[in-house]
Amino acid sequence: AIRRIDHVGIAVADLDEALAFYRDTFGLIAEHEEINEEQGVREAMLVPADGDPSTARLQLLAPLRPDSAIGKFLDRTGPGIQQMAYTVDDVEETSAELRAKGLRLLYDAPRRGTAGSRINFVHPKDAGGVLVELVEPGGLGHS
Ligand code: CMX
């Protein structure tokens, strides 16, 4: 089952520039940064400096390569919202439920997401033009 909004993902060309913009403009600070080679991204999870700790995160996604998902998105659409992510208890179970409803999941089996989470995606053409990510949190807490 879907529990809450996990994060909203924004494609950016340059992660360091975007981190400075969000810090100086909105007071959002990075609680986590990592490189995910398989996904072709350098990414950060942001939270309000003095905000509600349970708030949904803002994820900044910068491409490691032009032929990555984020590289292609930037080429086609430019910087902006790339995905909406939901926290789920069990990514395999929710993926199976959505497949049974006729939606295309991008992966046959979950892959590794932020901070050891397990993830899958619903194709944006099957979800009203929104790339939907399902996130089963990993051992490192909030994805
Ligand atoms: N949101 C909404 N629509 C999107 C989209 C997005 N993020 N990305 C592509 N689309 C649209 C395209 O505009 C295209 O529409 P038209 O056919 O009307 O032009 C359509 O979807 C299909 O495009 P495509 O050429 O078949 O597919 P792409 O090569 O653009 O790939 C996708 C799209 C979703 C399959 C690819 O981005 C993907 O595999 N995403 C999952 C992985 C990912 O996003 N990783 C980065 C984040 C990592 C993380 O969160 O940890």
Side-chain angles (χ1 to χ4, degrees), residues 38-131:
E38 184 185 30
Q39 291 292 333
V41 292
R42 193 177 155 222
E43 57 157 287
M45 285 290 184
L46 277 61
V47 286
D50 294 312
D52 176 345
S54 71
T55 187
R57 271 44 177 171
L58 185 78
Q59 181 185 40
L60 300 178
L61 296 156
L64 291 179
R65 315 176 274 275
D67 66 344
S68 61
I70 299 301
K72 286 189 204 162
F73 184 89
L74 286 172
D75 257 3
R76 175 163 25 201
T77 314
I81 294 182
Q82 187 255 352
Q83 57 167 269
M84 165 66 86
Y86 297 113
T87 314
V88 299
D89 296 327
D90 181 331
V91 66
E92 271 137 337
E93 186 181 285
T94 304
S95 299
E97 286 166 7
L98 295 175
R99 278 191 203 100
K101 292 178 179 169
L103 277 66
R104 283 167 295 169
L105 276 288
L106 293 186
Y107 308 141
D108 291 337
R111 295 193 185 169
R112 197 184 67 74
T114 311
S117 59
R118 300 168 76 236
I119 61 171
N120 206 336
F121 294 87
V122 179
H123 196 284
K125 291 293 170 191
D126 292 350
V130 178
L131 175 62

Side-chain angles (χ1 to χ4, degrees), residues 8-57:
V8 175
I10 296 182
V12 303
D14 184 303
L15 188 64
D16 294 320
E17 263 178 35
L19 283 168
F21 173 79
Y22 278 94
R23 186 194 59 223
D24 297 345
T25 311
F26 300 115
L28 298 182
I29 51 164
E31 61 169 5
H32 178 83
E33 261 188 69
E34 75 177 74
I35 287 175
N36 186 331
E37 280 290 344
E38 184 185 30
Q39 291 292 333
V41 292
R42 193 177 155 222
E43 57 157 287
M45 285 290 184
L46 277 61
V47 286
D50 294 312
D52 176 345
S54 71
T55 187
R57 271 44 177 171

